[in-house]
Amino acid sequence: MEYLIHLAVMSSIYAILGMSLNLVVGYAGLLSVTHAAFYGVGAYAVGILTVSRGYGFFEATAIGMVCAAAAAWFIGIVSGKFKGDYYALVSFGFNIIVFSIFLNVQSVTRGPLGIPGIPKPELFGTAIRTNAQFLILSIVFALLTYAISQWIVKSSFGRALKGIREDEDALRVFGYDTARYKRIIFMIAAMLAAVAGSLFASYISYIDPSTFSLNESIFILSLVILGGLANVNGSVFGAIVFILLPEILRFVGFPPDIAAQMRQVAYGAILVLLMLYRPQGMFGEYKL
Amino acid sequence: MKSEIRNEKEILLKLDDVHVHYGGVHALDGASVAIDEGEIVALMGPNGAGKSTVLKAIFGIAPVHSGEVLWHEKRFKPVPHEVVARGIAFVPQGRRVFKYLTVEENLEIGGFIVGDKKELARRMAEVMETFPALKAKRRTKSGTLSGGQQQMLAIARGLMVDPKVLLLDEPSLGLAPKIVKEVFENIKEINERHGTAIVVVEHNIKSILGIVDRAYVLAKGKVAAQGKPEELLSSGVLEKIFLGEK
Ligand SMILES: Nc1ncnc2c1ncn2[C@@H]1O[C@H](COP(=O)(O)OP(=O)(O)OP(=O)(O)O)[C@@H](O)[C@H]1O
Ligand SMILES: [Mg+2]
């Protein structure tokens, strides 16, 4: 039971990551491979501020969101000068930079040692202690993200994002400031990723840079593609499948240690097979 | 020649000695074009002559090196939202409708600068009246429309701002002759009903002969000839430009 709860918490954290990245990749069509950087900013904000500065979880989360938004604003301005493949390259360059900051600014982040002992959130004076309680918190945040995402994609703002994805130059002709739209959605997605990072840091109670590497960004991107670009439900589905995948491998008969190693291969294989046979993902309406 | 053709009305939109450079390519090499209120003007010329670039220069989406774009004889900043706000609408070459969006959503995008929801709805109803085929398909993804319907949608989308000038880049491209005729009838109707000035890029002068007031013939980024369509036809200048170069 405890393990099921663990899987559910992780699924909801990754659902937040997937839904937020989908806003950028699926709706606006920006192939961003830097989402783990914002995830990390949120996690480190909570790690640093709660452990050694005495901040509460929610304050630290809010600060993390602001930091992520600021980083996204800057990254958005630079990468906004590029399109297509170049955009993807520039974005993953930023992931590497942020990762190096986590790793090398040791006076703040403790570098490879990581930050242990991150406390659980406190709500109305009582601490969230059990994993079941934490699950409720993470589901609440996932539902909020879901609602925000749905609201965005159904609004005229969301329609403009889809227009950018299809034909940005054509959209500009109608008076849209497309650069601004791209910057805003990138910042919103970064803030949501930071929330996922906060939850993760507090839940696992230990963070180190390795969780926020380029690999992680690719992992998140893969689950978005699996679920389907421009489909909010799809990202939730993709997150659950990817979190459960090791269990599924075990279920179909792989011994646990092999299943663990098979994981990476399976993620990779899923991505390749999707590109070959179903580039729009499970529920997506369009291809990468 | 110019003054003979045009009457005393104020010149609505004018390009004055515009040069556009794409790196080493001089897409426009000192082109001057003028559009009066309410007239239909054709831009003709071989592939690569700079027709699309004229329209893009008006919209500020081409790298203008020198020269001026004037609206009511005054300079203005050619950036798209300023241009649209003045009542100039652009229907780009290749239609460029948003295929994953519905007909209605495409029209809403066209009316982006309108702001007021009621006004937007009123205009949408109006353009759907002009193009009944679109009304029936209002909730259809525009990617599934036929080529002709997509062209009508592209034009309708431009009309959402109630433009004073409509710039149409090769609306006949890839359409069957019968559909082309329909599209040109629509264009004429828009012009007559609303007094919208229309600039239409077109290869085939015969198909627009009946509807245009004047035509410019571009070659190599310059205006090689201009005049009434009949004059251009009889002067033989068209053959020279279209057949004279490969
Ligand atoms: N984005 C661009 N980058 C580089 N060169 C360009 C660009 N756009 C146009 N050109 C060049 O500018 C010249 C004029 O192009 P333009 O599109 O205006 O021609 P056109 O008359 O519209 O031709 P067509 O009938 O083929 O549409 C061409 O030589 C073209 O190659
Ligand atoms: Mg052209």
Side-chain angles (χ1 to χ4, degrees), chain B residues 23 41 103 105 139 166 177 216:
Chain B
V41 176
V103 166
E105 288 172 325
R139 295 195 210 292
L166 186 61
Y216 286 87

Side-chain angles (χ1 to χ4, degrees), chain A residues 3 41 67-68 70 74 84 92 138 146 153 189 191 208 218 228 250 263 285:
Chain A
Y3 192 59
V41 167
C67 294
F74 177 74
F92 86 56
S138 62
Y146 184 86
V153 306
M191 287 195 280
D208 72 4
I218 295 172
R250 219 164 13 179
R263 241 178 67 192
E285 64 169 12

Side-chain angles (χ1 to χ4, degrees), chain A residues 2 56 93 168 180 187 218 271 277 286:
Chain A
E2 200 58 9
E168 185 178 347
R180 190 163 149 263
M187 288 167 72
I218 295 172
L271 196 57
Y277 298 108
Y286 96 113

Side-chain angles (χ1 to χ4, degrees), chain A residues 173-215:
Chain A
V173 162
F174 303 105
Y176 287 84
D177 182 352
T178 56
R180 190 163 149 263
Y181 279 77
K182 290 196 284 187
R183 227 158 37 230
I184 291 174
I185 197 62
F186 199 53
M187 288 167 72
I188 291 174
M191 287 195 280
L192 294 170
V195 171
S198 307
L199 289 169
F200 176 81
S202 168
Y203 174 64
I204 302 288
S205 81
Y206 169 79
I207 52 169
D208 72 4
S210 68
T211 312
F212 311 107
S213 66
L214 185 57
N215 249 332

